[in-house]
Amino acid sequence: MSEIQKNLIAGEWQAGEGDIENRNPSDLSDLVGRYAQASSDQLDATLAQARVAQREWAAYGMERKQAVLNAIGTELMARAEELGTLLSREEGKPLAEGKGEVYRAGQFFTYYAAECLRQLGENADSVREGVEVDIRREPVGTVAIISPWNFPTATASWKIAPALCYGNAVVWKPANLTPASAVALTEIISRQDIPKGLFSLVMGAGRSVGQRLVESPEIDAISFTGSVPVGKGIAAAAITNLTKVQMEMGSKNALAVMDDADLDLAVMLALGGAFGGTGQKCTASSRLVVHAAIHDAFVEKLVTGAKAMKVGHALEAGTQMGPVVSEQQLTENLSYVQLGLSEGAELACGGERLEMPHDGFYMSPGVFLNTTNDMRINREEMFAPLTSVIKVGSYDEALSVVNDTRFGLTSGIVTRSLARATHFRRNARTGVVTVNLPTAGTDYHVPFGGRGDSSYGPREQGKAAAEFYTTVKTAYISAGPV
């Protein structure tokens, strides 16, 4: 029997009220581990201790905080091979992607380590004679972080790092599908020079411990990444306590391929954007909006490329696309394939469950042709290795299709025209726009977020993160006569 991995509760590693199995989606015979599920009483205890620890952490000097975050980031980068292997083993993305994710997570911590020293306020003269104004940011308090399974280390890190940087306590509820990566990151953080209970790991089901967490009046802010329905539920719960919220949710990203595009570049961007991470990315290119003049040539190369992709075990050399994360996800993906066919789309390749040497959740990358933007497969986030080609007759029609969605996270255009590229990035209604680059892939030192149903609340990453993780204090000072 595998040892049960524990939660970090009020600064102590504790077993829970039960536990769950975590199995490798590439090989279901591989038990990654067993993981404790936190109880309501444990959540209450860790929230109480977080309040005490946060006040102590906020009083740490800037360089002391910087050293903590820098140590976390440095260890993550040094252990990228080891922890990336663990991540790929439990989540299913190819090993190169797993290692890259862990290394990027380390960069978030080292970036925010430097930000610890850059927290500058403002000074101003009052409209009243002899009065000066001091404006500064202070920690918001205790932050609940609810992170997804598709980027279990990176997404959590780009939330945890700024939360700690700006002086907050953190209570982290990771996705139950990827607990091993959560325990590994927590072990690194727990060894640092931080107050007891400043950082908590509360693994458990969203409907129980997650719901109690977001409803708690002891939480000052909630940062969430996940689905739109869950996000709306969190927002409804948070408003009861007027808790600050930041949410990154669904998407239906479009890559527009113009008639003047570099064809090989466009196909490469589409394949990587649609099928990287097995399509399980909020930035995936699930709509390919292609100009009629280049459509047939693009589709031929796209389908050829999709058929040639090597699907396999995440840890095997040469694997380009791993399994999907779970049986439930695979079932949902295959349901979308049937939905697309019922709507009249043509499945040019893939979209099938694959039998492999290892028992896992494998499917082939699928390409839909002859689709229209009003089909459900082009309206709903599928979170699958599936993409749809939508033929358009002009740039103006392409832009209209790109913007015809309730989401608004990322969009991209492939073109040689500077005028079109400029017009597109100014008029695409998404939070992130790319030109001759994939819709997936962003930097850690600049803001990230979307519009519509994709995002709610302040932006994540870069200096913009301060808006969510701090609160502004304005002080008026009268020194009196000399």
Side-chain angles (χ1 to χ4, degrees):
M1 178 67 72
S2 172
E3 179 185 354
I4 296 175
Q5 301 297 308
K6 299 175 180 179
N7 285 295
L8 186 62
I9 304 296
E12 303 288 343
W13 291 99
Q14 298 181 13
E17 60 183 5
D19 62 86
I20 60 167
E21 278 190 351
N22 179 25
R23 291 192 176 272
N24 182 347
S26 293
D27 180 0
L28 298 179
S29 68
D30 177 19
L31 177 65
V32 180
R34 302 187 68 88
Y35 296 84
Q37 302 290 277
S39 68
S40 296
D41 288 345
Q42 287 176 322
L43 178 59
D44 292 344
T46 212
L47 286 171
Q49 182 61 31
R51 185 70 64 184
V52 175
Q54 187 275 322
R55 289 193 290 269
E56 184 180 344
W57 174 246
Y60 273 33
M62 292 187 297
E63 289 181 321
R64 193 175 177 187
K65 289 197 196 81
Q66 179 201 26
V68 168
L69 269 70
N70 198 59
I72 297 168
T74 300
E75 183 168 347
L76 281 168
M77 289 186 284
R79 297 174 61 192
E81 175 88 27
E82 170 202 349
L83 298 181
T85 300
L86 177 65
L87 191 160
S88 292
R89 184 178 163 212
E90 74 167 345
E91 194 271 346
K93 65 183 59 176
L95 181 56
E97 295 182 31
K99 291 189 292 186
E101 176 177 339
V102 172
Y103 196 89
R104 173 52 60 91
Q107 290 176 311
F108 281 113
F109 278 99
T110 56
Y111 171 82
Y112 282 106
E115 284 298 296
C116 289
L117 304 180
R118 298 193 189 109
Q119 296 178 43
L120 306 179
E122 297 177 77
N123 294 106
D125 288 328
S126 171
V127 295
R128 291 167 286 177
E129 186 176 352
V131 176
E132 293 184 333
V133 182
D134 175 89
I135 305 156
R136 64 182 62 214
R137 291 187 175 274
E138 297 184 346
V140 72
T142 300
V143 180
I145 289 175
I146 303 174
S147 60
W149 51 260
N150 62 325
F151 286 91
T153 303
T155 302
S157 295
W158 81 50
K159 298 173 185 292
I160 294 167
L164 295 177
C165 166
Y166 296 116
N168 301 287
V170 170
V171 179
W172 179 26
K173 197 208 88 62
N176 250 357
L177 284 171
T178 49
S181 294
V183 170
L185 177 56
T186 300
E187 287 176 341
I188 293 172
I189 296 172
S190 69
R191 293 197 304 270
Q192 307 307 318
D193 173 27
I194 60 175
K196 180 180 180 180
L198 180 75
F199 185 86
S200 302
L201 174 67
V202 287
M203 296 180 286
R207 62 184 177 276
S208 54
V209 68
Q211 190 63 29
R212 189 176 181 88
L213 180 62
V214 300
E215 291 176 350
S216 173
E218 297 301 313
I219 290 295
D220 299 296
I222 303 165
S223 182
F224 165 79
T225 296
S227 71
V228 174
V230 174
K232 288 182 176 180
I234 288 173
I239 197 64
T240 303
N241 299 311
L242 299 178
T243 305
K244 196 174 186 180
V245 293
Q246 174 192 66
M247 298 188 295
E248 295 297 336
M249 298 172 286
S251 62
K252 199 65 188 174
N253 313 297
L255 179 69
V257 180
M258 293 295 95
D259 53 338
D260 65 340
D262 178 323
L263 184 59
D264 290 334
L265 173 65
V267 171
M268 180 185 71
L269 298 178
L271 289 171
F275 305 127
T278 319
Q280 299 170 144
K281 293 182 179 182
C282 60
T283 53
S285 306
S286 56
R287 293 185 298 151
L288 305 177
V289 183
V290 184
H291 196 290
I294 203 173
H295 174 273
D296 291 354
F298 173 84
V299 163
E300 181 180 0
K301 286 179 174 286
L302 177 72
V303 172
T304 298
K307 288 179 177 178
M309 290 190 75
K310 182 182 177 183
V311 180
H313 193 296
L315 302 183
E316 287 182 357
T319 293
Q320 294 174 289
M321 194 179 93
V324 300
V325 74
S326 68
E327 181 76 50
Q328 178 183 341
Q329 190 66 47
L330 179 59
T331 299
E332 291 176 4
N333 294 354
L334 297 176
S335 294
Y336 270 113
V337 172
Q338 295 307 310
L339 174 63
L341 294 171
S342 72
E343 290 184 302
E346 173 193 345
L347 185 63
C349 66
E352 298 175 332
R353 182 164 192 166
L354 297 175
E355 295 299 324
M356 306 290 282
H358 304 286
D359 183 18
F361 306 125
Y362 298 97
M363 72 176 287
S364 50
V367 176
F368 284 113
L369 304 179
N370 300 320
T371 77
T372 59
N373 202 47
D374 59 354
M375 291 179 176
R376 282 179 57 194
I377 57 171
N378 286 326
R379 310 303 295 180
E380 301 174 11
E381 182 178 45
M382 295 185 287
F383 228 59
L386 299 169
T387 192
S388 302
V389 177
I390 304 170
K391 185 192 292 188
V392 294
S394 66
Y395 165 75
D396 289 340
E397 185 183 357
L399 179 61
S400 177
V401 170
V402 168
N403 287 334
D404 181 16
T405 175
R406 62 192 176 96
F407 299 107
L409 184 55
T410 71
S411 61
I413 187 170
V414 190
T415 181
R416 289 185 172 96
S417 167
L418 178 60
R420 278 179 175 171
T422 301
H423 187 274
F424 184 86
R425 67 182 178 83
R426 286 179 174 269
N427 290 278
R429 293 197 293 269
T430 53
V432 177
V433 178
T434 66
V435 177
N436 296 325
L437 290 166
T439 59
T442 58
D443 290 352
Y444 55 85
H445 66 301
V446 290
F448 175 78
R451 300 166 64 158
D453 280 6
S454 290
S455 299
Y456 183 80
R459 287 288 190 260
E460 298 197 90
Q461 302 184 23
K463 291 182 180 295
E467 183 64 30
F468 177 71
Y469 292 103
T470 64
T471 186
V472 175
K473 176 180 283 184
T474 305
Y476 296 88
I477 306 102
S478 174
V482 176

